[in-house]
Every structure is written in structure tokens, then in C-alpha cells.
Amino acid sequence: PAALFYLTPVLAVAAPLALIGVGAEAGYLDKDGNLPDAQRPLLIDSLGAVAGGAVSASSATSYIESAAGVAAGGRTGLVAVVTGALFL
């Protein structure tokens, strides 16, 4: 139970911050610094965290390290699929 009270605020703060950081690197922010239609990626991120917890795995969530992949030119999910396949 104590882990639940720790992880919930951490995930609630980390996901939007990572989304803004990666969105800024990719050039997806509008002129005011907002990410248009941010609800979709936040929903996917939260579903990944729930699915990871449901199978007792590490929470599958976005990380600010993704900005390095975006800076190198990877902006689609295909980059993540190829990288994951290379680790197999």
C-alpha cells in the first residue's frame, strides 16, 4: 500500500513533464508552449502504467530519455519497435 501512495504522484507528475520535454524537442508545441491534443498521449501513458502494474512489471511509461531519440530523428513508434526488436 505504501508504494501506491508513492508511485501515483510520481507517475502523475513525470508523464506530463516528459510529454512536454519530448514534445518541445520534436517541435510539437504551439506558440504558447502547449501540446495540442495532449489528452491522447497522456491516456496511452496511463494505460501503459496500469497494464505494467497489472502484470507485476515495471510501469511502462514515457521517459525524458525519449528526447534523445527524437533529437536523432525518430518521431514515430516504428523507431521504438525496431529498437525493441534489436534487444531481442
Side-chain angles (χ1 to χ4, degrees):
L4 178 67
F5 293 113
Y6 169 73
L7 290 176
T8 302
V10 169
L11 293 174
V13 172
L17 292 177
L19 185 63
I20 290 170
V22 174
E25 184 67 37
Y28 292 155
L29 302 183
D30 63 12
K31 61 180 175 67
D32 296 324
N34 298 319
L35 184 68
D37 198 22
Q39 294 83 10
R40 289 179 58 199
L42 288 174
L43 175 65
I44 297 302
D45 186 77
S46 62
L47 290 175
V50 168
V55 296
S56 298
S58 299
S59 64
T61 185
S62 58
Y63 295 100
I64 195 63
E65 289 85 1
S66 301
V70 170
R75 296 182 183 195
T76 67
L78 182 60
V79 173
V81 170
V82 170
T83 303
L86 291 173
F87 274 102
L88 294 177

